[in-house]
Amino acid sequence: MATTTDTELVGSLVRLMHVLQDLYAETSRPLGLTPQQAHLLCVLLAGPQGMTDLSHILSIERSSLTSMVDRLERRALVARNPYPGDRRACQIALTPAGHALADEAHTAFTDRVDALTADLSPTARKALVSALGQLPLSR
């Protein structure tokens, strides 16, 4: 049975999830991107990724990812590059234009998160980072 503290924690995390999703939508729209497209571009800032890895990271079906990559490729924001050692597979990489837009999307989002958390004390920030760091966030 869930305690009041458990219910408060779940409620707080769900509210945070919705706020972050809204921020992502608000920052991606002016850039001509959907939140999912902005997320994909930001993920690719770390370097090229295979389609299977991207579908796991983004939590979307591979067919949906393929459609998204197709649209971004038509806009010259991403490119499909051959995967070393497997001629059937490809890696998705940012083009120079895609890199610039991904940087812009990432900066816009982090600026909004900074504004959201501006009133937190340094101690509260450290505690939040520590608590979130203990959660098994990768799947």
Side-chain angles (χ1 to χ4, degrees):
M1 180 166 201
T3 65
T4 301
T5 303
D6 293 339
T7 303
E8 290 170 350
L9 175 62
V10 169
S12 294
L13 289 172
V14 168
R15 278 192 307 281
L16 176 61
M17 176 189 67
H18 288 295
V19 166
L20 293 175
Q21 286 175 333
D22 289 347
L23 288 181
Y24 230 105
E26 290 168 13
T27 57
S28 62
R29 267 189 231 112
L31 301 174
L33 299 168
T34 66
Q36 296 81 8
Q37 289 171 334
H39 189 191
L40 172 60
L41 294 179
C42 288
V43 165
L44 293 174
L45 281 170
Q49 295 279 336
M51 293 290 281
T52 300
D53 290 337
L54 285 172
S55 70
H56 291 300
I57 292 167
L58 300 173
S59 299
I60 60 174
E61 293 296 321
R62 192 141 169 194
S63 59
S64 298
L65 176 61
T66 298
S67 297
M68 188 186 326
V69 169
D70 288 344
R71 286 189 296 279
L72 293 171
E73 190 175 36
R74 281 193 297 275
R75 292 179 58 189
L77 299 173
V78 300
R80 287 178 166 94
N81 297 326
Y83 190 84
D86 186 350
R87 61 189 178 122
R88 295 171 298 152
C90 66
Q91 287 190 313
I92 309 306
L94 292 171
T95 63
H99 199 284
L101 193 57
D103 278 336
E104 194 174 346
H106 184 264
T107 298
F109 183 71
T110 55
D111 286 352
R112 293 292 302 270
V113 171
D114 284 344
L116 177 71
T117 60
D119 291 338
L120 291 178
S121 70
T123 303
R125 282 176 178 268
K126 189 173 185 174
L128 182 58
V129 169
S130 177
L132 292 174
Q134 294 177 44
L135 296 176
L137 298 178
S138 63
R139 295 198 265 161

